[in-house]
């Protein structure tokens, strides 16, 4: 059965740490990093990358457009 | 491309050919001046995506309001004008009449469109100018410090109604979108939100339709986006979206109000 695997890249310096992407993620992949960026905001990262399906939900709700999404089809 | 799932590393996925989404190229690299979690950024990106998909970047002129989005011309790479407070529909009227083939839209908040600009809004809608109005409603004057606006809900706390809006002295909240839907000059009136992915997709469809309607020359298309103002509401972004769902949507119900010149609600 074909399955999709995804991955995201967060533009760390532009992330404002609003956490809306974490709410939007259907597979609970994302968490906030303990570290902060240059402006003092915590930023999102993939805690559980194996679960990402590349659905782009996190990216379209991101108000600052900091998330890029990549997706491939894989065989389970 | 098909690879076995176990052997797949994130580095194998993050490759140029696998890119499925990134922010619209019409969005500039300037960092948005909005607070973390503000719906303005999401709506900017939706507008940029729609303009890009329709291929009308060089034919679109936007009118920016006074308010948080006064600097919108820094963020979306199209032509912008900046109108005096509340006068964006009047400026857009002039632009559309001089250049009828251009796509003209205004981008306004509730303090701009529903307070100081009520007259311009209602008359532009009543004249049936062939423009698009994007209206961001967060129920508060966000930029100036969270004061009470005409759209503030009954009982809602703001910096100038610290005990909640008392309708007996402060008046009732105004549903300007329903109001203009009654006018013969409006062709498409809808209310959407951008707090969830499903709502973002619906808002994008609505804004796309509002832009496409301009070629029909049948009147105003108005898209209201109910949004949060977490700084003004004194909440975290996630909490403010929950509060918005629980309180704003009962008074400002989402959905189409007027489609193709016919009231549907």
């Amino acid at each position: 059965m074909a399955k999709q695997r995804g991955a995201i890249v967060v533009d760390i310096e532009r992330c404002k740490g609003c956490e809306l992407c974490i709410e939007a993620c259907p597979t609970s992949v994302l968490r906030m990093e303990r570290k902060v960026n240059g402006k003092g905001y915590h930023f999102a990262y993939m805690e559980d990358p194996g679960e990402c399906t590349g659905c782009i939900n996190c990216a379209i709700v991101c108000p600052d457009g900091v998330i890029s999404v990549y997706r491939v089809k894989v065989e389970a | 491309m098909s690879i076995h799932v176990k052997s797949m590393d994130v580095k194998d996925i993050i490759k140029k050919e696998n890119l499925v989404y990134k922010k619209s190229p019409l969005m500039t690299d300037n960092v948005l001046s909005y607070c973390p979690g503000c719906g303005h950024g999401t709506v900017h990106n939706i507008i940029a995506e729609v303009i890009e998909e329709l291929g009308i970047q060089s034919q679109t002129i936007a009118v920016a309001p006074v308010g948080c989005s006064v600097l919108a011309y820094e963020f979306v790479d199209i032509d912008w004008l900046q109108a005096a407070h509340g006068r964006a529909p009047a400026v857009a009227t002039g632009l559309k009449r001089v250049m009828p083939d251009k796509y003209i839209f205004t981008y306004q908040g509730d303090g701009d469109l529903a307070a100081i600009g009520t007259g311009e809004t209602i008359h532009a809608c009543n004249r049936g100018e062939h423009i698009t109005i994007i209206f961001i409603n967060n129920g508060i004057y966000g930029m100036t410090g969270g004061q009470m606006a005409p759209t503030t809900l009954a009982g809602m706390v703001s910096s100038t109604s610290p005990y909640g809006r008392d309708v007996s002295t402060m008046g009732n909240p105004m549903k300007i979108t329903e109001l203009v839907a009654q006018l013969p000059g409006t062709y498409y009136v809808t209310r959407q939100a951008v707090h969830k992915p499903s709502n973002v997709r619906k808002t994008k469809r609505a804004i796309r339709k509002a832009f496409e309607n301009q070629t029909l020359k049948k009147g105003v298309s108005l898209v209201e986006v109910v949004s949060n103002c977490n700084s003004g509401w004194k909440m975290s972004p996630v909490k403010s979206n929950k509060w918005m769902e629980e309180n704003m949507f009962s008074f400002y119900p989402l959905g189409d109000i007027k489609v193709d010149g016919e009231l549907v609600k």
Side-chain angles (χ1 to χ4, degrees):
Chain A
M1 198 180 92
K3 195 190 164 199
Q4 291 186 329
R5 274 285 307 269
I8 64 160
V9 175
V10 177
D11 186 346
I12 290 169
E13 283 308 311
R14 291 170 61 97
C15 179
K16 293 178 182 166
C18 68
E19 305 186 12
L20 295 188
C21 50
I22 294 176
E23 289 289 305
C25 180
T27 51
S28 306
V29 171
L30 302 172
R31 298 280 185 285
M32 296 310 282
E33 178 65 76
R34 275 176 65 84
K35 288 183 283 189
V36 292
N37 65 15
K39 288 192 172 158
Y41 292 120
H42 297 284
F43 49 89
Y45 76 105
M46 286 199 292
E47 164 75 17
D48 197 1
E51 292 297 312
C52 181
T53 59
C55 71
I56 78 169
N57 277 4
C58 56
I60 63 172
V61 294
C62 176
D64 295 278
V66 303
I67 300 176
S68 305
V69 184
Y70 299 80
R71 188 197 300 147
V72 288
K73 270 190 185 155
V74 288
E75 281 162 13
Chain B
M1 191 170 70
S2 199
I3 311 167
H4 196 264
V5 68
K6 291 266 165 57
S7 64
M8 178 150 269
D9 189 50
V10 170
K11 284 199 184 84
D12 297 325
I13 305 172
I14 300 171
K15 282 179 183 162
K16 215 175 165 187
E17 64 269 23
N18 297 334
L19 183 72
V20 287
Y21 185 88
K22 66 180 186 110
K23 79 174 166 87
S24 168
L26 259 62
M27 291 295 286
T28 64
D29 287 333
N30 297 327
V31 176
L32 298 177
S33 56
Y34 308 116
C35 304
C38 178
H40 269 310
T42 319
V43 180
H44 280 19
N45 199 36
I46 292 172
I47 291 172
E49 281 177 10
V50 168
I51 292 172
E52 183 200 348
E53 283 168 17
L54 295 174
I56 53 171
Q57 182 184 11
S58 59
Q59 301 157 53
T60 307
I61 305 170
V63 186
V66 171
C68 289
S69 47
V70 66
L71 296 173
Y73 51 78
E74 297 271 10
F75 310 131
V76 187
D77 190 13
I78 51 174
D79 287 336
W80 286 84
L81 270 172
Q82 209 279 310
H85 203 351
R87 275 62 185 162
V91 175
T93 298
L95 278 172
K96 188 70 181 180
R97 290 192 179 191
V98 174
M99 292 176 279
D101 296 329
K102 300 276 186 198
Y103 290 82
I104 314 287
F105 77 95
T106 72
Y107 185 97
Q108 302 175 265
D110 52 321
D112 192 78
L113 183 140
I116 192 167
T118 316
E120 280 75 6
T121 306
I122 288 179
H123 285 292
C125 289
N126 197 38
R127 287 192 307 269
E129 302 297 339
H130 313 306
I131 58 172
T132 299
I133 297 175
I134 313 286
F135 167 36
I136 313 295
N137 179 6
N138 55 20
I140 214 167
Y141 288 111
M143 187 204 211
T144 49
Q147 289 86 356
M148 191 183 77
T151 44
T152 302
L153 301 175
M156 185 173 166
V157 174
S158 70
S159 61
T160 48
S161 58
Y163 306 109
R165 182 176 189 162
D166 175 8
V167 292
S168 65
T169 55
M170 301 168 191
N172 290 291
M174 187 158 67
K175 294 181 180 180
I176 192 138
T177 306
E178 272 86 350
L179 201 71
V180 299
Q182 306 296 324
L183 300 172
T186 48
Y187 187 66
Y188 177 55
V189 180
T190 184
R191 183 184 284 120
Q192 303 293 340
V194 289
H195 64 304
K196 280 185 176 168
S198 55
N199 294 93
V200 172
R201 292 187 172 97
K202 280 183 196 159
T203 306
K204 188 174 172 185
R205 280 199 290 275
I207 291 179
R208 192 186 166 103
K209 187 173 165 65
F211 273 89
E212 287 170 344
N213 281 348
Q214 289 206 24
T215 52
L216 305 174
K217 300 201 188 303
K218 286 194 172 167
V220 173
S221 297
L222 189 145
V223 180
E224 171 179 347
V225 182
V226 182
S227 183
N228 61 352
C229 178
N230 46 72
S231 300
W233 297 355
K234 315 276 184 253
M235 295 174 197
S236 72
V238 173
K239 228 175 152 187
S240 71
N241 277 346
K242 285 217 171 76
W243 190 91
M244 178 172 77
E245 271 188 327
E246 287 161 9
N247 298 281
M248 297 277 279
F249 292 169
S250 53
F251 189 75
Y252 297 115
L254 303 185
D256 292 341
I257 298 163
K258 196 176 194 181
V259 180
D260 298 343
E262 299 286 332
L263 283 168
V264 291
K265 216 185 234 173

